[in-house]
């Protein structure tokens, strides 16, 4: 994909932001601003899907009216003709790919919601990890602009892969920071009993959950580094995971 110098600089800035992210809300806002620059777009909204409540929550928006978005959250998200379809797409997708402009402009959703903020050409990306929607990016242009090109959609999709991983990292860290030590240890004990972890393996699992490196764990438990790594591989097998990320996610996000 051929990028201009300006586009390359913005993409690199996005990637640096994603690599250093530790808060999912700030991440969506910061990356959103950069994406508007990258795609010469004017508007962005971003939500997280609450599976239990069956609705979008945790809004981040740029250049959109708060009261209009509140109307979306209270009413229009439940009669939205485009977002459920876009959400099922596991790739960046133009709104025009799923509904024609003339058809969209006849809907209440367009006339009483989108048009009020001047939104006309849209592209959406939904960040999924497994079956879980971690957050989305809804980027829009005004009527005075043109629809998004295939190149722009492909670029958003490429950025979306890194965006998803950054959101997953932030979500995991936020979950950990919001849980008490006692709760985390209880989760280790419960999972350890089910998976028949030994007392030593439970100790190591807890240490991983609290962010300990292999070397730190070896020093704290007074065992060799190879022994720690052997235990970790056994823990992975018993808990049916293949990495620290999967281990932490299994014990904190379920």
């Amino acid at each position: 994909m051929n990028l201009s110098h300006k586009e390359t600089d913005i993409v690199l800035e996005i990637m640096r932001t994603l690599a250093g992210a530790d808060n999912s809300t700030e991440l969506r806002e910061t990356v959103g601003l950069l994406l508007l620059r990258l795609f010469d777009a004017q508007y962005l909204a971003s939500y997280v899907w609450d599976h239990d409540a069956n609705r979008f929550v945790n809004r981040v928006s740029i250049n959109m009216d708060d009261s209009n978005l509140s109307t979306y959250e209270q009413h229009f998200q439940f009669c939205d003709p485009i977002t459920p379809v876009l959400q099922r797409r596991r790739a960046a997708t133009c709104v025009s790919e799923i509904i024609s402009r003339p058809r969209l402009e006849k809907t209440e959703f367009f006339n009483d919601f989108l048009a009020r903020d001047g939104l006309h050409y849209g592209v959406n990306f939904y960040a999924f990890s497994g079956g879980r929607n971690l957050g989305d990016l809804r980027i829009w242009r005004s009527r005075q602009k043109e629809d998004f090109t295939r190149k722009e959609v492909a670029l958003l999709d490429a950025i979306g892969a890194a965006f998803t991983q950054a959101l997953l990292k932030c979500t995991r860290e936020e979950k950990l920071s919001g849980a008490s030590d006692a709760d985390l240890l209880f989760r280790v004990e419960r999972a350890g009993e089910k998976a028949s972890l030994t007392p030593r393996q439970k100790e190591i699992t807890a240490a991983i959950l609290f962010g300990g490196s292999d070397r730190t764990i070896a020093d704290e438990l007074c065992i060799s580094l190879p022994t720690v790594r052997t235990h970790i591989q056994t823990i992975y097998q018993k808990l049916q995971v293949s990495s620290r990320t999967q281990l932490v996610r299994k014990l904190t996000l379920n």
Side-chain angles (χ1 to χ4, degrees):
M1 186 183 299
N2 294 322
L3 300 178
S4 67
H5 290 303
K6 177 184 176 182
E7 290 170 332
T8 299
D9 288 344
I10 297 172
V11 169
L12 290 174
E13 190 172 352
I14 289 171
M15 292 305 172
R16 285 193 294 268
T17 299
L18 294 174
D22 58 9
N23 180 284
S24 59
T25 300
E26 291 177 4
L27 169 67
R28 288 182 290 132
E29 184 170 10
T30 304
V31 170
L33 286 166
L34 291 168
L35 288 171
L36 292 185
R37 285 174 50 201
L38 178 64
F39 295 125
D40 189 26
Q42 293 77 48
Y43 313 103
L44 178 134
S46 174
Y47 287 93
V48 176
W49 178 252
D50 185 327
H51 180 77
D52 294 332
N54 197 36
R55 64 185 299 153
F56 288 104
V57 297
N58 299 342
R59 178 216 308 170
V60 166
S61 66
I62 301 171
N63 297 330
M64 296 183 68
D65 182 73
D66 284 340
S67 62
N68 198 32
L69 286 168
S70 293
T71 302
Y72 172 80
E73 291 154 16
Q74 295 162 13
H75 171 67
F76 283 109
Q77 71 166 305
F78 304 111
C79 57
D80 182 339
I82 60 173
T83 304
V85 181
L86 292 165
Q87 189 182 15
R88 290 194 291 270
R89 300 281 185 102
R90 300 303 174 90
T93 305
C94 274
V95 171
S96 58
E97 289 184 44
I98 65 162
I99 187 171
S100 68
R101 291 291 307 169
R103 183 181 166 199
L104 176 62
E105 290 183 4
K106 291 178 181 178
T107 64
E108 175 194 24
F109 183 75
F110 177 82
N111 289 291
D112 292 344
F113 170 59
L114 294 178
R116 290 196 175 188
D117 265 332
L119 282 61
H120 285 267
Y121 302 106
V123 61
N124 285 192
F125 177 83
Y126 293 82
F128 275 87
S129 176
R132 185 163 177 262
N133 183 189
L134 303 172
D136 59 47
L137 297 165
R138 311 178 192 191
I139 304 168
W140 290 84
R141 286 175 175 158
S142 67
R143 184 187 291 275
Q144 290 71 36
K145 301 288 184 176
E146 295 182 353
D147 203 355
F148 294 87
T149 65
R150 289 185 179 181
K151 171 189 169 181
E152 289 169 329
V153 174
L155 181 55
L156 177 59
D157 204 41
I159 292 169
F163 174 71
T164 299
Q165 291 304 308
L167 275 183
L168 184 59
K169 172 178 173 284
C170 289
T171 302
R172 184 179 70 244
E173 291 178 353
E174 287 163 6
K175 183 72 175 181
L176 280 170
S177 65
S180 68
D181 291 356
D183 178 56
L184 294 176
L185 292 173
F186 171 76
R187 289 169 179 262
V188 171
E189 187 64 30
R190 182 177 60 184
E193 291 299 320
K194 289 181 180 179
S196 300
L197 297 184
T198 66
R200 177 64 85 189
Q201 288 163 0
K202 290 177 187 175
E203 283 184 299
I204 293 173
T205 302
I208 292 173
L209 207 56
F210 287 113
S213 66
D214 292 1
R215 170 58 66 189
T216 300
I217 295 170
D219 292 343
E220 289 180 351
L221 298 181
C222 298
I223 56 179
S224 69
L225 191 57
T227 299
V228 170
R229 289 174 175 163
T230 297
H231 277 306
I232 289 174
Q233 290 306 311
T234 303
I235 291 165
Y236 287 174
Q237 291 171 8
K238 289 184 176 181
L239 292 178
Q240 298 181 325
V241 298
S242 59
S243 67
R244 284 174 178 254
T245 298
Q246 289 183 10
L247 173 62
V248 172
R249 183 163 182 255
K250 181 167 187 171
L251 293 180
T252 60
L253 299 184
N254 294 328

